[in-house]
Amino acid sequence: MSTYLIGDVHGCYDELIALLKQVEFSPETDTLWLTGDLVARGPASLEVLRYVRSLGDAVRLVLGNHDLHLLAVFAGISRNKPKDRLAPLLEAPDADLLLNWLRRQPLLQVDEEKKLVMAHAGITPQWDLATARACASDVEAVLSSDSYPYFLDAMYGDMPNNWSGELSGLARLRFITNSLTRMRYCFPGGQLDMYCKDTPDSAPAPLKPWFDLPGPVPAQYSIVFGHWASLEGKGTPPGIYALDTGCCWGGELTCLRWEDKAFFTQPSNRRQEAGGSPLTAAS
């Protein structure tokens, strides 16, 4: 019985299946954790969603910013971008089933036995774990409700960028969504910077990666995240794991087996087609 954690799939279905075969994943005995951004940029978002949904209780996932954007397109709020290659999914006969399943997935996963936390972008240093859980639940409740299009219409925007327990309404939901699905850098006080996408060695002062700022999540918890392909899985402190290694950009799909901390990778089938690399891609 193993726990496999895989970085952003981004519609790379063939690589996902090859990686799962490589580690001999069995949905009957193993559990698969996915860091979000299941869809967009790769060629087979439809196949990825169908497969992941078919796994039932064998999968634990979180939503990423591209998953939320897909839901906004589905709701008629945002425009479908050709580069996202979502048309086959949106036009599929089971699109309604798949996307209504997707919007009921969580933004945060916590396993108390393993002391393991997963969010697409990470955990803002302004939150302790109880606050992160409560905040994620706020957005999950709205996404699961009939009023979810109103939230999706208001989620775009970079403000507010500073947490306060007094935040309410759509401003509160927007901050939570940005923290869990879009965050990379923070100012020294923990405020979010939503503009810089550089690698940490070239980011302007005083910005720091969120994981380099002290936060109140207890040290016994490990944090797994995706979203930041240009990290190439490197440069995080002990106990924090970056798993997006830019498969859709011609990089690799990366898997971490939790029990022995062994890493496995599957090269992208589209190294030439992608025309970019994880060093320059913005996911």
Side-chain angles (χ1 to χ4, degrees), residues 250 268-276:
S268 170
N269 292 345
R270 289 163 301 283
R271 289 189 185 275
Q272 299 303 317
E273 177 193 336

Side-chain angles (χ1 to χ4, degrees), residues 207-219:
L207 298 180
K208 288 186 175 296
W210 64 267
F211 49 75
D212 281 343
L213 290 173
V217 174

Side-chain angles (χ1 to χ4, degrees), residues 15 23 56 62 86 108 131 135 238 269:
E15 292 89 337
V23 300
V62 292
L86 293 173
L108 181 71
T131 302
C135 287
N269 292 345

Side-chain angles (χ1 to χ4, degrees), residues 216-253:
V217 174
Q220 66 263 37
Y221 287 87
S222 296
I223 300 175
V224 172
F225 70 103
H227 183 57
W228 201 341
S230 63
L231 292 177
E232 298 186 295
K234 303 169 185 175
T236 56
I240 298 182
Y241 300 86
L243 293 184
D244 182 7
T245 46
C247 186
C248 71
W249 304 103
E252 299 173 328
L253 195 61

Side-chain angles (χ1 to χ4, degrees), residues 30-154:
D30 301 327
T31 305
L32 175 64
W33 288 51
L34 297 169
T35 64
D37 279 0
L38 300 179
V39 302
R41 306 300 171 90
S45 293
L46 172 60
E47 289 78 6
V48 168
L49 283 194
R50 283 174 173 168
Y51 175 71
V52 173
R53 182 177 178 273
S54 76
L55 293 176
D57 292 339
V59 68
R60 295 179 69 168
L61 63 93
V62 292
L63 295 175
N65 54 303
H66 281 276
D67 304 316
L68 292 175
H69 179 70
L70 167 64
L71 292 173
V73 172
F74 178 62
I77 291 160
S78 192
R79 181 175 57 86
N80 181 24
K81 305 172 185 175
K83 66 181 180 180
D84 283 338
R85 307 168 82 171
L86 293 173
L89 169 55
L90 294 166
E91 296 166 2
D94 53 347
D96 219 51
L97 176 69
L98 292 170
L99 296 176
N100 280 299
W101 166 81
L102 186 66
R103 71 180 174 91
R104 290 178 170 87
Q105 301 310 305
L107 275 77
L108 181 71
Q109 293 280 1
V110 180
D111 189 309
E112 288 293 350
E113 181 179 342
K114 295 179 173 64
K115 295 293 187 253
L116 179 58
V117 178
M118 181 174 69
H120 178 63
I123 304 295
T124 170
Q126 294 189 314
W127 285 346
D128 59 21
L129 192 54
T131 302
R133 285 175 130 159
C135 287
S137 294
D138 288 347
V139 175
E140 291 161 9
V142 175
L143 276 174
S144 297
S145 74
D146 291 340
S147 62
Y148 79 97
Y150 298 102
F151 158 69
L152 292 171
D153 189 36

Side-chain angles (χ1 to χ4, degrees), residues 165-176:
E166 296 180 0
L167 281 176
S168 62
L170 292 173
R172 177 185 177 92
L173 296 176
R174 188 182 305 116
F175 179 89
I176 295 167

